[in-house]
Amino acid sequence: FKLTTIEENEAITNRLLETGAKVGADSWQLRVKNQTPHCKFGEQGVCCRICSMGPCRITPKAPRGICGCDAHGIVGRNFLRFTAGGCAAHSDHGREIAHTLYQARPEGPYKVKDPEKLIRIAKEWNIETEGKDIYDLAHEVAYVALGEYGKIEGYQNFTSRAPEHTRELWKKAEIMPRAVDREIATAMHMTHMGNTSKPEALVRQSFRTGLSDGWGGSMTGTEFSDVLFGTPTPIETEANLGVMVAENVNIVVHGHDPSLSELICEYADDPEMIAYAKSKGAKGITVSGVCCTSNEVAMRRGIPMAGNFLQQENVVLTGACEAIVVDVQCIFPALGPLSKCFHTKFVTTSPICQMPDSDFVRFDAATAGENAKAIVKMAIDNFENRNPDLVYIPDTKQKATVGYSVEAIVKTLDGVTNSQVDETGTTKPLLQCITSGVIRGAVAMVGCNNPKIRPDYLHVELMKKMIANDIVIIASGCSAQAAAKAGLMDKAAKDLCGAGLKRVCELADIPPVLHMGSCVDISRMLMLAAELAKDSGLNISQLPVVGCAPEWMSEKAVSIGNYVVSTGLDTFLGVDPYVSGSDQMCELLTNGVRDWVEAAYTVEKDLDKLGDLMIERIEEKRAALGI
Ligand code: NFS
Ligand code: SF4
């Protein structure tokens, strides 16, 4: 067993960029050069353009904007707006899923695959379930879920899943999340010209907005995706560009919303479609994915992962991609012009994500079946337009076992310890592994790639360091894909672990890096933390668990960071969230907020220091518990 190294992946990329050069394609690698160095004001967060008296930039000579706002107010407002953007994206995705559930019908295309979970949620929300048709119940629950976005009073329903202590902290700090749309609107209102410029208030609203994402919109996305498409269970798959197959029609799904990709997978598997592909000279159809939509279909169907965020152009550069079909978020507008250099169809499907140089097939829950079929057919018809001289699919790929929902983790670990029978079905076996020290703790590795960091380097190196120190990794998003591509989700990777974690991997038959899904599925990590706290009688902040987004880039990642910290988990970042221009904001985020939520941020760009700090933090928590 051998990991795929960063150098090997870079060699593949370089080879693909040669093809790009041949056809005159642009690439992020070239655009980064044109954009460097970045604007210093922007980097420090001290540029304000929220009114037309500006833009104002803070310098030692000009310490205030025209309205008199100082650096702290400007940095704080920018941070809150960043959060609001992220929360809006995640939460609107969740709303789409709730809307899809609202349209579920027994005859399809959208059905209820996990009725048990639906009933569980209904009971939590005090919705009568007795004697109700499951589809009637689905519509009722979906309707309530949609109402959560604009509820007139009260807090997000899902916050009742958080431990009592955590909710008390939220109430005391006045960050308990109300309606999702309201938190986003409040964020925009507070940051309008002439409103809040006090850092503390801006950070509080950043946290409340983040919490309405994590314990609201994102959790809605995760839970109702499970209801519709099934709660993930462990499944085998593969990762890296080598999953594409030269003889087949290659369809790549990219984006975030599984409503589209699920149906594409379904039709690509249809015997009629496969026969059609064969009639066009292909051997079959291969669907693979990029970014979080890939995580969604990998977790539930074992659909292979072609790559993560910074590999999205690479799938087109193989010359063997008949269609890259996207829904929303993290999609490079570059795919439009790039696809024009090849035969590739760039198919956009959502009114939320419209791009030049794409074929727009408006995807709608009511017509989803026909839409998906038309897209698969479009890809097949495009097979004959390939230029064989441009085709190069690197044969690099790794095996991966994925599908670790909270339910799956609990079930998998049931067998590991000699715990009492009555403790199975809880997180107690996992807790026992942690208390005994066989596992020292856990790191939630999440987030994107960012050209400021060698793609995947921090993700993979930190994970290697953690597992060697008996710290288990739960991963999601592009971080999870980095792990899968490297080989860290192959069960054989247990050999890279310390003796304790290795033993657990053997007993439970799991890889040391557990794929928990997409970025909205970080809500699964919240639920796991809440369960661990309840089952142990500890507060979440006492658990030897931390979060880490070493290569993050998107607004969504900041919203996530805010809800993870607010939930009581220390969070480590490898990229600064444009706050270095205000010492007051830095002090609040890395220290001050600890008084409200018992956790804070750490920003550290050095790989070794970042890893050491996380281990230190985990060991500190253990020492405080006397374990
Ligand atoms: Ni998360 Fe998923 Fe990837 Fe980052 Fe984008 S795909 S929602 S934002 S880049 S991890
Ligand atoms: Fe400048 Fe104030 Fe307007 Fe911002 S709000 S652009 S700091 S005048």
Side-chain angles (χ1 to χ4, degrees):
F1 169 73
K2 205 184 133 295
L3 290 183
T4 303
T5 63
I6 300 290
E7 288 75 16
E8 287 171 71
N9 278 327
E10 282 173 349
I12 290 171
T13 300
N14 290 337
R15 168 66 184 75
L16 290 167
L17 288 174
E18 281 170 26
T19 313
K22 255 190 242 165
V23 297
D26 194 12
S27 70
W28 65 259
Q29 289 85 350
L30 297 171
R31 294 187 300 272
V32 163
K33 284 192 189 132
N34 295 340
Q35 288 295 338
T36 311
H38 294 284
C39 164
K40 283 274 168 292
F41 301 103
E43 263 181 349
Q44 295 168 7
V46 293
C47 169
C48 182
R49 46 176 295 279
I50 63 175
C51 92
S52 80
M53 295 191 285
C56 298
R57 301 174 304 182
I58 301 304
T59 63
K61 258 180 66 194
R64 285 179 189 270
I66 289 167
C67 65
C69 192
D70 62 12
H72 313 298
I74 292 175
V75 169
R77 291 194 302 221
N78 287 338
F79 186 76
L80 176 52
R81 285 207 164 189
F82 216 87
T83 308
C87 173
H90 273 151
S91 300
D92 211 35
H93 163 175
R95 176 170 9 220
E96 273 302 309
I97 299 291
H99 194 247
T100 304
L101 181 65
Y102 190 68
Q103 309 222 16
R105 293 180 307 230
E107 64 275 18
Y110 295 112
K111 300 184 189 170
V112 173
K113 276 211 188 129
D114 189 345
E116 228 172 89
K117 183 165 266 195
L118 175 67
I119 291 169
R120 206 171 84 204
I121 297 167
K123 286 191 171 148
E124 271 177 47
W125 291 3
N126 296 321
I127 295 169
E128 185 55 55
T129 60
E130 243 11 86
K132 234 175 238 168
D133 173 80
I134 200 73
Y135 282 87
D136 289 341
L137 185 64
H139 300 158
E140 202 174 330
V141 172
Y143 194 80
V144 175
L146 289 165
E148 284 291 285
Y149 286 84
K151 73 197 295 182
I152 297 163
E153 52 188 15
Y155 304 114
Q156 282 302 293
N157 275 351
F158 278 132
T159 56
S160 66
R161 294 178 168 188
E164 190 51 42
H165 172 77
T166 309
R167 274 182 302 168
E168 284 310 313
L169 290 176
W170 292 343
K171 281 185 193 149
K172 222 171 117 203
E174 291 184 40
I175 56 172
M176 190 78 173
R178 305 161 299 174
V180 179
D181 290 348
R182 179 171 184 190
E183 297 309 355
I184 297 163
T186 299
M188 296 310 284
H189 187 181
M190 280 176 81
T191 53
H192 186 275
M193 190 274 149
N195 277 332
T196 302
S197 54
K198 193 169 154 189
E200 190 207 297
L202 293 163
V203 173
R204 275 190 210 274
Q205 182 57 23
S206 300
F207 279 15
R208 184 158 60 173
T209 308
L211 284 171
S212 78
D213 171 352
W215 294 88
S218 276
M219 206 170 277
T220 302
T222 296
E223 291 292 76
F224 293 117
S225 293
D226 284 356
V227 169
L228 280 163
F229 309 119
T231 301
T233 54
I235 189 168
E236 304 297 321
T237 185
E238 293 176 324
N240 218 340
L241 283 173
V243 304
M244 293 172 72
V245 181
E247 298 77 29
N248 288 358
V249 172
N250 285 294
I251 303 176
V252 177
V253 290
H254 175 12
H256 288 78
D257 184 340
S259 309
L260 167 74
S261 43
E262 277 283 333
L263 290 191
I264 298 282
C265 293
E266 207 127 286
Y267 284 104
D269 223 14
D270 187 311
E272 202 181 296
M273 283 294 176
I274 296 172
Y276 185 58
K278 286 186 176 157
S279 78
K280 294 280 172 179
K283 279 209 174 132
I285 307 172
T286 298
V287 182
S288 60
V290 178
C291 285
C292 281
T293 218
S294 169
N295 289 320
E296 299 275 359
V297 286
M299 291 282 284
R300 298 195 179 88
R301 292 172 175 264
I303 296 290
M305 299 172 271
N308 47 359
F309 181 61
L310 285 181
Q311 285 187 307
Q312 56 183 288
E313 290 169 297
N314 287 8
V315 298
V316 178
L317 288 168
T318 61
C321 173
E322 273 58 59
I324 180 161
V325 187
V326 306
D327 48 82
V328 292
Q329 302 168 18
C330 300
I331 296 142
F332 275 6
L335 292 177
L338 178 62
S339 66
K340 295 281 172 264
C341 299
F342 293 85
H343 73 303
T344 307
K345 294 269 184 203
F346 175 41
V347 186
T348 49
T349 59
S350 167
I352 295 290
C353 177
Q354 306 182 48
M355 290 185 182
D357 298 315
S358 71
D359 288 300
F360 186 61
V361 178
R362 193 185 181 122
F363 201 78
D364 194 289
T367 54
E370 296 143 50
N371 297 151
K373 213 168 175 175
I375 292 169
V376 173
K377 188 166 176 294
M378 187 198 281
I380 297 172
D381 286 333
N382 198 24
F383 183 74
E384 60 191 16
N385 297 326
R386 239 193 229 181
N387 178 351
D389 296 342
L390 295 178
V391 173
Y392 169 71
I393 300 180
D395 61 7
T396 310
K397 60 180 173 180
Q398 288 276 6
K399 282 196 292 184
T401 307
V402 303
Y404 291 97
S405 57
V406 177
E407 293 86 342
I409 290 177
V410 166
K411 197 152 174 244
T412 310
L413 286 170
D414 263 354
V416 176
T417 59
N418 329 313
S419 55
Q420 305 294 321
V421 182
D422 64 355
E423 292 185 335
T424 59
T426 69
T427 62
K428 284 188 182 165
L430 175 56
L431 281 164
Q432 234 177 58
C433 296
I434 296 174
T435 336
S436 65
V438 185
I439 297 178
R440 305 301 293 173
V443 175
M445 290 284 290
V446 306
C448 331
N449 295 127
N450 185 325
K452 288 176 179 162
I453 288 150
R454 253 174 116 179
D456 293 353
Y457 179 67
L458 287 185
H459 289 299
V460 172
E461 293 305 313
L462 286 169
M463 289 188 208
K464 278 160 63 182
K465 182 163 177 153
M466 294 304 124
I467 63 174
N469 282 283
D470 288 325
I471 293 166
V472 69
I473 303 286
I474 49 176
S476 72
C478 290
S479 183
Q481 292 172 321
K485 282 190 295 166
L488 288 166
M489 287 179 177
D490 187 326
K491 287 174 185 167
K494 69 175 190 317
D495 291 337
L496 305 171
C497 300
L501 181 56
K502 182 175 175 180
R503 184 96 189 98
V504 174
C505 289
E506 279 166 355
L507 283 171
D509 194 26
I510 52 169
V513 178
L514 300 175
H515 196 326
M516 290 193 81
S518 62
C519 286
V520 293
D521 291 340
I522 295 172
S523 66
R524 296 190 200 279
M525 298 176 179
L526 298 180
M527 293 185 252
L528 182 61
E531 286 307 305
L532 284 168
K534 286 180 200 163
D535 288 343
S536 64
L538 298 170
N539 298 331
I540 290 180
S541 60
Q542 290 175 290
L543 300 169
V545 178
V546 301
C548 180
E551 305 181 20
W552 75 274
M553 62 85 204
S554 76
E555 291 174 320
K556 289 179 286 177
V558 170
S559 182
I560 292 168
N562 286 340
Y563 72 65
V564 173
V565 169
S566 303
T567 299
L569 298 168
D570 284 312
T571 297
F572 295 77
L573 305 178
V575 178
D576 169 58
Y578 298 151
V579 293
S580 63
S582 160
D583 53 357
Q584 289 183 19
M585 279 295 292
C586 290
E587 150 61 28
L588 266 172
L589 294 173
T590 58
N591 186 39
V593 295
R594 203 172 280 287
D595 291 342
W596 314 340
V597 292
E598 301 175 344
Y601 280 106
T602 300
V603 182
E604 176 54 65
K605 293 170 196 169
D606 181 271
L607 163 69
D608 284 313
K609 278 193 210 149
L610 186 56
D612 291 340
L613 283 169
M614 291 200 284
I615 296 173
E616 233 170 71
R617 201 79 195 94
I618 284 171
E619 291 301 332
E620 264 172 41
K621 302 232 175 202
R622 296 189 64 93
L625 292 171
I627 56 172

